[in-house]
Amino acid sequence: MRVKVIFYSGLFLSFLCASGLMLYFGKETFHVSSEQRKAEEFAYHFVLIPEEVDNAYWRLVEKGARDAAKVHGVYVDYIGPKQANREEHVKTFHAAIAGRVDGIMVQGGEDPALLELLAKAKQKGIPAVTVDTDSPKSSRAAYIGTNNYYAGFLAGQALLKDTSGSQYVGIVTGRFQSANQKLRVDGFKAAVQQEKRIQIMGIEESNITKIGAVEAAYRLMKQHPGITALYGTSALDAAGIAGVATYLRRDDMYVIGFDTLPETLALIKAEAVRASVTQNPYEMGYKAVESLVKIKNGESVEPLQHTPTRVIRKNDLVKEPV
């Protein structure tokens, strides 16, 4: 009798376990299938692959892409690394190609693996456009985004306009190996190189995080106590720099950053950040979708589509909302 109880108890537990697994995997299969059917209801299925999905800047690119998708009746997936990671970025791109999507929007760069995938997408008949950062030597159909060299040049011009006398400058950049970050540094250097009163003291990496910007700015200011100005090339750098300047009671520090995230705008209003180079990530996403739609419809597109870039200061925020 006891053996039977044990046997039937085990059988019942096995049944519950099997049922649970069946329900779980059935649910997952249904979820994937329903997403696929949802995409098939539209004219085209595009994928936007950001540098990192939860970055406020890339969320604006996503918003532009989704608004354009509504207008043109296409479906957009937004998939990528949770934090900036080139290997995960490349894996996502590879999966998009394997999934036979109709078009891909991806942050460009110089990574050989990325260039190989751009070529592979073209071979498979999948148009790919780069956004935010270009891959000019690749098989991409078009680049939609900032002229990053020019944006860096504007930052250098702003420093020259806003300061007088000798300036000892530190640079905080998102990532040393990022193509767009390097161009922003190169453009800045080109703008100030003829001015003997400007000396660049050092450059540190923030890894595109606010805490990274804090650490980078702190290192620069400790290693070079005479620094009078700091330039941040990625969206979170200015806030990190300003925090360190406040902590070290350097209210005289000239800080110029990138982008118009709410925290950066608040710091400009408070004069903790003197200026910021604005981009238009929303327009990047919108034009990227429009370009893919045109390509799919057999129309030609401009290979280089630079979105507006300018420098804003406190007075600009009073005159108009950004």
Side-chain angles (χ1 to χ4, degrees), residues 10-169:
L11 188 64
F12 180 68
L13 289 171
S14 299
F15 171 77
L16 286 177
C17 183
S19 299
L21 289 170
M22 187 168 63
L23 284 170
Y24 173 77
F25 286 111
K27 179 183 176 182
E28 290 300 304
T29 303
F30 174 76
H31 175 72
V32 172
S33 299
S34 63
E35 285 296 313
Q36 186 175 2
R37 284 198 298 273
K38 186 176 179 181
E40 289 170 354
E41 294 171 4
F42 295 85
Y44 302 118
H45 178 196
F46 300 149
V47 172
L48 170 59
I49 306 172
E51 183 177 26
E52 54 181 26
V53 292
D54 288 327
N55 183 290
Y57 172 87
W58 279 99
R59 286 295 183 185
L60 289 173
V61 179
E62 178 198 13
K63 188 176 189 311
R66 292 202 185 283
D67 284 353
K70 290 176 185 176
V71 172
H72 294 282
V74 300
Y75 183 81
V76 170
D77 265 324
Y78 179 70
I79 308 169
K82 289 184 178 180
Q83 292 184 330
N85 182 305
R86 209 60 185 167
E87 185 178 339
E88 290 300 318
H89 195 258
V90 167
K91 283 181 181 178
T92 306
F93 193 175
H94 188 276
I97 294 173
R100 300 278 184 177
V101 297
D102 298 305
I104 297 170
M105 299 164 279
V106 63
Q107 185 192 42
E110 301 169 345
D111 186 345
L114 177 67
L115 302 182
E116 184 179 332
L117 285 171
L118 285 165
K120 185 176 181 179
K122 185 176 181 180
Q123 291 169 2
K124 298 282 186 182
I126 303 171
V129 299
T130 52
V131 293
D132 177 69
T133 307
D134 196 11
S135 299
K137 297 179 181 179
S138 72
S139 301
R140 58 100 169 110
Y143 167 62
I144 300 98
T146 300
N147 181 332
N148 285 293
Y149 183 89
Y150 175 65
F153 194 87
L154 286 179
Q157 287 186 319
L159 172 71
L160 295 176
K161 181 178 179 180
D162 296 343
T163 65
S164 61
S166 297
Q167 296 295 321
Y168 302 94
V169 185

Side-chain angles (χ1 to χ4, degrees), residues 172-176 178 181 204-209 233-234 237:
V172 176
T173 190
R175 283 190 293 138
F176 289 135
S178 177
Q181 302 290 303
E204 293 284 345
E205 186 179 41
S206 69
N207 202 31
I208 316 183
T209 66
T233 70
S234 64
D237 292 341

Side-chain angles (χ1 to χ4, degrees), residues 103-319:
I104 297 170
M105 299 164 279
V106 63
Q107 185 192 42
E110 301 169 345
D111 186 345
L114 177 67
L115 302 182
E116 184 179 332
L117 285 171
L118 285 165
K120 185 176 181 179
K122 185 176 181 180
Q123 291 169 2
K124 298 282 186 182
I126 303 171
V129 299
T130 52
V131 293
D132 177 69
T133 307
D134 196 11
S135 299
K137 297 179 181 179
S138 72
S139 301
R140 58 100 169 110
Y143 167 62
I144 300 98
T146 300
N147 181 332
N148 285 293
Y149 183 89
Y150 175 65
F153 194 87
L154 286 179
Q157 287 186 319
L159 172 71
L160 295 176
K161 181 178 179 180
D162 296 343
T163 65
S164 61
S166 297
Q167 296 295 321
Y168 302 94
V169 185
I171 300 174
V172 176
T173 190
R175 283 190 293 138
F176 289 135
Q177 300 306 315
S178 177
N180 64 341
Q181 302 290 303
K182 287 193 283 186
L183 287 168
R184 293 173 190 178
V185 171
D186 290 345
F188 180 85
K189 287 180 176 178
V192 304
Q193 67 181 354
Q194 299 301 323
E195 292 287 334
K196 292 182 179 180
R197 69 183 184 88
I198 308 295
Q199 293 186 45
I200 296 176
M201 307 303 292
I203 180 169
E204 293 284 345
E205 186 179 41
S206 69
N207 202 31
I208 316 183
T209 66
K210 185 176 176 180
I211 187 62
V214 167
E215 292 170 349
Y218 188 81
R219 285 195 299 272
L220 283 167
M221 293 174 73
K222 282 297 183 181
Q223 290 168 10
H224 309 282
I227 275 181
T228 59
L230 282 163
Y231 164 50
T233 70
S234 64
L236 298 173
D237 292 341
I241 292 168
V244 175
T246 299
Y247 175 73
L248 295 178
R249 298 182 180 179
R250 288 295 311 276
D251 297 335
D252 60 327
M253 183 71 64
Y254 178 90
V255 179
I256 180 167
F258 247 84
D259 294 320
T260 53
L261 299 183
E263 185 175 9
T264 304
L265 295 180
L267 289 167
I268 291 174
K269 290 177 182 177
E271 300 183 350
V273 172
R274 289 284 300 280
S276 189
V277 181
T278 72
Q279 303 184 88
N280 200 322
Y282 177 89
E283 188 171 341
M284 292 179 201
Y286 200 100
K287 283 190 170 182
V289 168
E290 282 193 328
S291 295
L292 285 178
V293 170
K294 286 181 180 179
I295 293 168
K296 295 300 293 184
N297 291 341
E299 301 175 44
S300 60
V301 298
E302 287 292 329
L304 276 178
Q305 300 177 43
H306 287 143
T307 49
T309 308
R310 66 189 181 104
V311 174
I312 62 163
R313 300 172 175 85
K314 184 178 180 179
N315 288 343
D316 298 303
L317 301 183
V318 174
K319 292 174 185 175

